[in-house]
Amino acid sequence: MTYLGALQRSEPTLFSDATTDPEPAIGRRSLRALGSIRFFDYRPTPADVRAEVLEGLRRPAKRLSPKLFYDQRGSQLFDAITELPEYYPTRTEIGILREYGSEMADLLGRDNVLIELGSGSSLKIQTLLAALQPSVYMPVDISKEHLLESAHALAERFPSLSIRAACADYSAPFRLPLEPDWTDLAAFFPGSSIGNFDPADARLLLGRVADLLGTGGRLLIGVDLPKDPAILDAAYDDAQGVTAAFNLNLLARINRELDADFDLAAFCHRAFFNTELSRVEMHLVSLVEQQVEVAGESFGFRVGETIHTENSYKYGIDTFHRLAGDAGFVAEKVWTDRQGLFSVHCLRLVADASAQRPRA
Ligand code: AVI
């Protein structure tokens, strides 16, 4: 099936290779009691992790994909990052959602199927649920445990909410458990996660979201703005070392899942704002000359050599509108905080621009 085909919501076979567990146990409780959660596991597979890691480490400039951060521990560390005094994006975005939530709901529409990409702990959507009142809420996340825990917590807080949770990797072509007669879809993509994609990949992802929504569909998306580099450097290299632990956890995950022998004490975290490319870069720096075994392959590191683990692009409003425009979206409204740290955009997909959209 092509990815376009996979995204079409009229295909009843959509569910065929998803695992729907009617009673996944979380702790001692069962989801069935809540009656409003269905879970679909599209299994972002470990085989992909192995191939991706080896491919990234074989490169002359070593790199690892930021999506590898989000195992269970990494997801917990990311949640801790969002509460750090230096990490302004989460609280700033929530402030914007609180202040303008009803305006956003007026534009996005109520009583629709609301898909959240990268839902994580589903914290932000809680700010909007009362205003949006979706008929179905569909969180999509790569971390199964995190997704289940969050869906459960949300169902307890909003017992009448119908939840369809999908464990999937939205950074690649993905499928969702949509019913053929669901025509009124909206998407929510908060947290400036779009910034973790290089611009070309960001265009592709927005194109996939556009295919999913169809003409007239709306996307509410959070985008971090360029700002004083000192604020950015601190946000990605906090005093308590939580971001460093988050970055290094990637090596712990590879040790565990790919039978590797990274010595975490032989690497350190580095983050800085690259002004020219308008992005924060995160790296793991080798402190010594060393050889590391990963899945039976040996990789050499020089002193100071880095593994590039993440980019976090910061887009000015016009630059982002041009990027979204390439995927067929037009800007309906943008909200920012008073300090101009962060933006939330409501975008609408205009007449089918799929023919012009970039394809992978
Ligand atoms: C998930 N993403 C938007 C975060 C960011 O700000 O780019 C990930 C992160 N990396 C370090 N701190 C937070």
Side-chain angles (χ1 to χ4, degrees), residues 9 13 21 38-39 41 58 107 140 145 147 159-160 165 178 201 213 223 233 235 246 291 295 297 316 339 354:
R9 46 189 178 276
T13 54
D21 183 348
R38 289 183 71 191
F39 177 68
D41 187 0
R58 283 178 196 141
L107 281 171
V140 182
E145 294 80 9
L147 184 68
S160 60
L178 297 164
D201 289 334
L213 294 176
V223 181
D233 291 350
F246 174 69
Q291 286 292 130
E297 208 169 306
Q339 287 173 271
S354 61

Side-chain angles (χ1 to χ4, degrees), residues 70 78 81 87 191-193 196 236 243 246 282 310 312 314:
Y70 301 96
F78 179 67
I81 287 175
Y87 194 76
S192 202
S193 294
N196 296 134
Y236 290 82
T243 314
F246 174 69
M282 292 212 316
E310 187 180 64
S312 192
K314 311 299 169 190

